[in-house]
Amino acid sequence: MSDLSRFASDLLEEAARAALEYGANAGDPRPLEQAVERYRELLRREDQLGGNHDRRALDLGKALYLLGDRQAEAHLLQESLELLRKTGENITPEKKADWAEAKHRLGVALWRIGERSADLTILSQATDAFREALKERTRDHAPLEWAATQHSLGNVLSTLGERERETENLLQAVESYKEALKERTRERAPLEWAATQSGLGTALSILSEREDGTEKLLLAVELYKEALKEYTRERVPLEWAATQNNLGAALSSLGEREGGTEMLLEAVKAYEEALKERTRDHAPLEWAATQHSLGNVLSTLGERERETENLLQAVESYKEALKERTRERAPLEWAATQSGLGTALSILSEREDGTEKLLLAVELYKEALKEYTRERVPLEWAATQNNLGAALSSLGEREGGTEMLLEAVKAYEEALKERTRERAPLEWAASQCNLGNALSSLGQRESATENLLRAIEAYKEALKEWTPQTFPVGHKIAKNNLAIATQLLEKRKKA
């Protein structure tokens, strides 16, 4: 190769690398598009230009999965996966660093595809790839690379754990993040440290949903705030936005448990911050995710306030999210937003006459259950069954008769098959209380006392977890409803 050709090759390689590095953290997808184009050119002209084929293929694979994830383009993610698999097969184990890097990047591609798929085997394949990489990427020989793979393993274990009944993978995710932080210190690798702080916060937030108390949620909020000390909007806009989004989620969960509106209003601010960088043009699915989460917190706020403004805004946020969260493109996310929209409409229906919004909510929940199956996402399935029960119960209250109330009881009983006290104590208590409400309403319309007795038992069950300490608002509601059902039963016995 002539000196001129070598110079041109080096220049193109440098431009591709720079575009990839900048595009990984930029809100604008164009640098990643340029990186893909340049690496393709390098690989096409390899006979003329020479150079390291494996390294270029690995970099193209990374550019493809970053761009595919950013633009929600499944074909780019699939191309990345195929390229990384093929490249990994061609790298001999003697080239230890390149072999481990290929396994690591394959794991990332599988994780990003698995996040969008209901197939848990893809996520399991990702964990296998990361664990393979760790056989060569040891802490002694390559500490920062080892930490990067520990962090990525934490990501995929956290995603798996969120979808499963058990907490084993979530606990392993926490350990992986803690391992990564042994080398990813703020002084040594500030952005990587921030990424792992944020990932650890997310794993703890998900774990907090499976237990009483707010300790893990409070720690998650602190971890996100720590991450934002390095993840600034100016430096890494998309990571800053993702962390603002995660902070919003943790604050929202705290607000739901603690009562009042302070934490919820902080969550709204965090989501609104995230949307400054998570735009529909640059990151459509991430934009939709934040719109969905904003809808959730506005819906909760609206439920606690007299005015309907926040509920109406919640409906608009969910509708915005559904512009990108289609059933074909992101089935589980589509189901989540269908369910969220149903909840906002259900709450709105309580402030007005008629049953139009309730009937629509029932249809939305039933649509969501087409993708939210018990086998695929048991806890989400249970939550949607619970919400369906609430809408049916409200319809039953308005329409008279017992048909809708009996359907509501069935939905709550379905929810309790997965919402067990051991796995999700607060959610279990919520479904028990809701079941009590439906049974109490049935009992009021019947001469028999069986359903009133069952209602009293359900309220007592709910109060085992809804204590003044764990959920004061819920405790007060369940205690009051128990008293009403008990009084009604006593009157019925005397009659």
Side-chain angles (χ1 to χ4, degrees):
M1 183 176 18
S2 69
D3 290 343
L4 187 60
S5 296
R6 188 178 299 279
F7 176 75
S9 170
D10 291 347
L11 196 62
L12 185 58
E13 191 109 42
E14 190 176 327
R17 197 177 300 117
L20 175 57
E21 187 176 335
Y22 179 74
N25 297 319
D28 189 340
R30 284 176 295 180
L32 287 174
E33 291 169 353
Q34 291 168 2
V36 168
E37 184 182 335
R38 288 164 183 169
Y39 278 117
R40 288 195 200 280
E41 180 67 14
L42 283 164
L43 289 169
R44 272 197 303 268
R45 298 172 56 194
E46 209 161 54
D47 290 343
Q48 301 168 261
L49 302 176
N52 189 330
H53 169 85
D54 293 336
R55 177 53 57 177
R56 286 169 180 164
L58 290 175
D59 286 346
L60 175 57
K62 180 177 180 179
L64 285 166
Y65 68 60
L66 287 172
L67 184 60
D69 190 55
R70 188 84 47 84
Q71 297 290 79
E73 294 288 354
H75 71 95
L76 293 177
L77 290 169
Q78 192 60 39
E79 183 183 352
S80 168
L81 180 61
E82 290 168 6
L83 176 63
L84 290 168
R85 274 195 172 133
K86 183 178 178 182
T87 305
E89 289 167 2
N90 292 335
I91 297 174
T92 59
E94 289 77 28
K95 296 180 179 178
K96 292 182 179 181
D98 284 348
W99 181 86
E101 182 66 19
K103 290 292 183 184
H104 175 90
R105 293 192 186 185
L106 176 62
V108 175
L110 286 163
W111 171 56
R112 291 179 188 270
I113 291 170
E115 280 190 303
R116 288 169 164 72
S117 170
D119 187 355
L120 293 184
T121 59
I122 297 172
L123 293 171
S124 296
Q125 289 171 19
T127 63
D128 292 343
F130 289 130
R131 285 177 173 140
E132 283 289 299
L134 287 169
K135 291 177 182 178
E136 292 297 338
R137 280 187 162 180
T138 63
R139 187 179 177 189
D140 290 339
H141 293 147
L144 288 181
E145 290 80 0
W146 168 83
T149 303
Q150 288 286 0
H151 168 87
S152 294
L153 178 58
N155 287 344
V156 71
L157 287 168
S158 189
T159 304
L160 267 172
E162 189 173 17
R163 297 185 186 178
E164 295 174 332
R165 299 178 181 90
E166 295 75 22
T167 60
E168 182 184 355
N169 280 319
L170 286 168
L171 293 169
Q172 285 185 24
V174 169
E175 290 309 308
S176 287
Y177 288 129
K178 287 180 177 178
E179 284 292 286
L181 287 168
K182 292 177 181 177
E183 294 295 337
R184 284 186 158 188
T185 63
R186 187 176 180 186
E187 298 71 28
R188 187 180 191 184
L191 292 181
E192 290 78 5
W193 168 84
T196 305
Q197 292 282 342
S198 184
L200 179 56
T202 298
L204 290 170
S205 290
I206 301 166
L207 272 170
S208 74
E209 297 169 8
R210 318 279 172 91
E211 58 187 48
D212 297 334
T214 59
E215 183 183 354
K216 285 187 173 66
L217 275 174
L218 289 166
L219 179 54
V221 167
E222 288 308 307
L223 287 164
Y224 292 135
K225 288 180 177 178
E226 280 293 292
L228 288 167
K229 291 177 181 177
E230 294 295 338
Y231 266 0
T232 63
R233 186 180 179 188
E234 297 72 28
R235 186 188 286 179
V236 281
L238 289 182
E239 284 77 1
W240 170 83
T243 308
Q244 290 285 358
N245 184 79
N246 293 341
L247 174 61
L251 289 166
S252 182
S253 295
L254 275 171
E256 286 175 17
R257 294 192 185 186
E258 293 185 353
T261 61
E262 183 184 355
M263 290 291 185
L264 296 173
L265 289 169
E266 280 192 51
V268 169
K269 287 180 185 175
Y271 288 133
E272 288 173 342
E273 284 293 284
L275 287 168
K276 291 177 180 177
E277 291 295 337
R278 280 189 161 186
T279 64
R280 187 179 179 189
D281 288 340
H282 290 159
L285 284 184
E286 288 78 4
W287 169 81
T290 303
Q291 288 286 358
H292 169 87
S293 297
L294 180 58
N296 287 346
V297 71
L298 287 168
S299 189
T300 305
L301 267 172
E303 191 172 17
R304 295 183 184 179
E305 298 171 336
R306 294 187 183 90
E307 296 77 20
T308 61
E309 182 184 355
N310 281 320
L311 286 168
L312 293 169
Q313 286 185 23
V315 168
E316 290 309 307
S317 288
Y318 288 130
K319 287 180 177 178
E320 285 292 284
L322 286 169
K323 291 177 180 177
E324 294 294 338
R325 284 186 158 189
T326 63
R327 187 177 179 186
E328 298 71 29
R329 189 183 198 183
L332 294 179
E333 291 79 3
W334 169 83
T337 305
Q338 292 282 341
S339 184
L341 180 55
T343 299
L345 291 170
S346 291
I347 301 166
L348 270 171
S349 73
E350 296 168 10
R351 317 285 172 87
E352 57 187 51
D353 297 331
T355 59
E356 183 183 355
K357 286 187 173 65
L358 275 173
L359 289 167
L360 179 54
V362 168
E363 288 309 306
L364 287 164
Y365 292 136
K366 288 180 177 178
E367 280 294 291
L369 288 168
K370 291 177 181 177
E371 293 293 341
Y372 267 1
T373 64
R374 185 180 179 186
E375 297 71 29
R376 186 186 284 177
V377 280
L379 291 179
E380 287 82 355
W381 170 83
T384 308
Q385 289 285 358
N386 181 80
N387 294 341
L388 174 60
L392 289 166
S393 189
S394 294
L395 275 171
E397 294 282 349
R398 295 191 185 187
E399 294 186 349
T402 60
E403 183 183 355
M404 290 292 182
L405 291 171
L406 289 168
E407 280 193 52
V409 168
K410 287 179 185 175
Y412 290 133
E413 288 173 341
E414 284 293 285
L416 286 166
K417 290 177 181 178
E418 291 295 338
R419 279 189 162 185
T420 64
R421 187 178 179 186
E422 298 73 27
R423 188 182 305 141
L426 294 180
E427 290 77 7
W428 170 81
S431 291
Q432 288 286 359
C433 186
N434 290 337
L435 176 60
N437 294 341
L439 289 166
S440 184
S441 294
L442 275 170
Q444 291 175 42
R445 298 180 184 184
E446 300 169 335
S447 57
T449 58
E450 180 188 355
N451 282 320
L452 285 173
L453 288 165
R454 288 179 64 196
I456 289 167
E457 191 59 35
Y459 289 134
K460 286 179 178 178
E461 287 291 283
L463 287 166
K464 291 177 182 177
E465 291 296 338
W466 274 6
T467 67
Q469 294 73 36
T470 59
F471 190 25
V473 175
H475 176 81
K476 186 177 179 180
I477 291 169
K479 193 174 180 182
N480 182 62
N481 291 352
L482 173 60
I484 292 169
T486 303
Q487 287 172 4
L488 186 59
L489 180 64
E490 292 302 315
K491 286 181 183 178
R492 189 71 55 79
K493 285 179 177 178
K494 290 176 183 177

